[in-house]
Amino acid sequence: PGPLRRVEAGALPAHPTTGTISSASCHPQQFQYTLDNNVLTLEQRKFYEENGFLVIKNLVPDADIQRFRNEFEKICRKEVKPLGLVVMRDVTISKSEYAPSEKMTTKVQDFQEDKELFRYCTLPEILKYVECFTGPNIMAMHTMLINKPPDSGKKTSRHPLHQDLHYFPFRPSNLIVCAWTAMEHIDRNNGCLVVLPGTHKGSLKPHDYPKWEGGVNKMFHGIQDYEENNARVHLVMEKGDTVFFHPLLIHGSGQNKTQGFRKAISCHFASADCHYIDVKGTSQENIEKEVVGIAKKFHGAENSTDLKDIWMFRARLVKGERTNL
């Protein structure tokens, strides 16, 4: 496949509370969303099984976070230009408003060719936990460093509630997981992730652009018919805290009401045993048309290009053996 890229436009305790586990619950049980490898405690496994997410505190060292921040700033200043990297702005930020800097950049994604940022996807402390969900053969599928800007007043810094599987033409969903690491203190003031616990047990819902008056960023699709009364958990996180979550978990993020830029780095991982699917005729067809259309516009992609081609080009083996993906 050619060099194609998608342009796209994340309270209750966020981690298991400590407590005694009854002896009955210690008996072997059927786990659907986690694998046996002695990394997660029984309590952590049960929390993820029930809720679809798990926060591991203080997982990524400050030194690594600082290196990612330094590299991001170099990209913003155009001192480095990794192949295939997509740099995005908020819909309300005009091209002439700022000189090249982090103030113009709301997200960089597909940084698999940037050795410094891609280190995140190979950190042993990250892969140790990823393996609990994907198994030992691990592919890094989609990378992002998110720089949520101070909201302009039009609330465009929000990310609508969505399921990440909407973007992914590969299955099974239970062998896919996102690792999302806070690069600083994140709370409701600067737009922390909000999750709807337990929604990973449901199906993939139709997505489209929300009808927001202030505008919506490119590719920021949202669920049209989620249950309004679902309990929401706002993930207050410190620098280095990492949340792992299922691709069917409904989540989003609020607007950034501060004057700073809220940073996080993430990667979606999948088992190398996953397989690609054809999304034509499904609820994902709208995102395929948009992604392929943009790829053709910006990269001169061939007419036969589909979502699978684009994702195959992004995928990188980070542990174990490559099989299907």
Side-chain angles (χ1 to χ4, degrees), residues 72 76-78 87-91 93-108 147 149-150 261:
F72 174 71
C76 291
R77 294 192 300 265
K78 299 185 177 181
V87 178
M88 301 179 64
R89 285 190 308 274
D90 188 272
V91 69
I93 298 175
S94 69
K95 291 182 180 180
S96 60
E97 193 168 345
Y98 297 111
S101 72
E102 72 165 6
K103 291 182 178 180
M104 267 194 71
T105 305
T106 61
K107 184 190 293 186
V108 297
N147 187 46
F261 287 75

Side-chain angles (χ1 to χ4, degrees), residues 147-213:
N147 187 46
K148 185 187 280 283
D151 198 89
S152 64
K154 297 190 176 184
K155 301 182 180 179
T156 54
S157 65
R158 296 176 295 175
H159 198 302
L161 290 172
H162 65 284
Q163 296 163 298
D164 289 337
L165 193 66
H166 173 64
Y167 297 95
F168 302 157
F170 43 91
R171 301 291 188 274
S173 60
N174 289 352
L175 294 180
I176 304 169
V177 71
C178 179
W180 192 101
T181 299
M183 294 177 66
E184 58 201 295
H185 174 80
I186 296 177
D187 58 26
R188 295 185 71 170
N189 287 324
N190 61 1
C192 64
L193 286 179
V194 57
V195 300
L196 277 57
T199 49
H200 66 301
K201 299 175 185 177
S203 58
L204 179 60
K205 296 179 178 294
H207 289 59
D208 211 333
Y209 285 107
K211 295 173 175 60
W212 289 350
E213 291 181 8

Side-chain angles (χ1 to χ4, degrees), residues 8 13 25 31 38 41-42 44 46 49 85 100 111 144 169 199 212 224 231 243 248 257 295-296 311 314-315 320:
E8 20 169 297
S25 66
F31 289 108
N38 299 318
T41 65
L42 178 60
Q44 288 172 324
K46 290 177 73 175
E49 293 280 332
L85 186 83
F111 58 64
M144 290 192 296
T199 49
W212 289 350
Q224 306 298 294
V243 60
L248 282 172
K257 301 173 184 175
K296 289 177 179 177
W311 282 97
R314 290 173 170 159

Side-chain angles (χ1 to χ4, degrees), residues 43-59:
E43 186 184 25
Q44 288 172 324
R45 288 187 74 176
K46 290 177 73 175
F47 187 91
Y48 188 90
E49 293 280 332
E50 183 60 32
N51 296 285
F53 71 96
L54 181 69
V55 175
I56 305 298
K57 307 295 287 182
N58 198 29
L59 184 63

Side-chain angles (χ1 to χ4, degrees), residues 19-35:
T20 57
I21 299 174
S22 67
S23 57
S25 66
C26 292
H27 290 192
Q29 61 186 102
Q30 182 64 40
F31 289 108
Q32 187 176 350
Y33 304 103
T34 57
L35 304 172

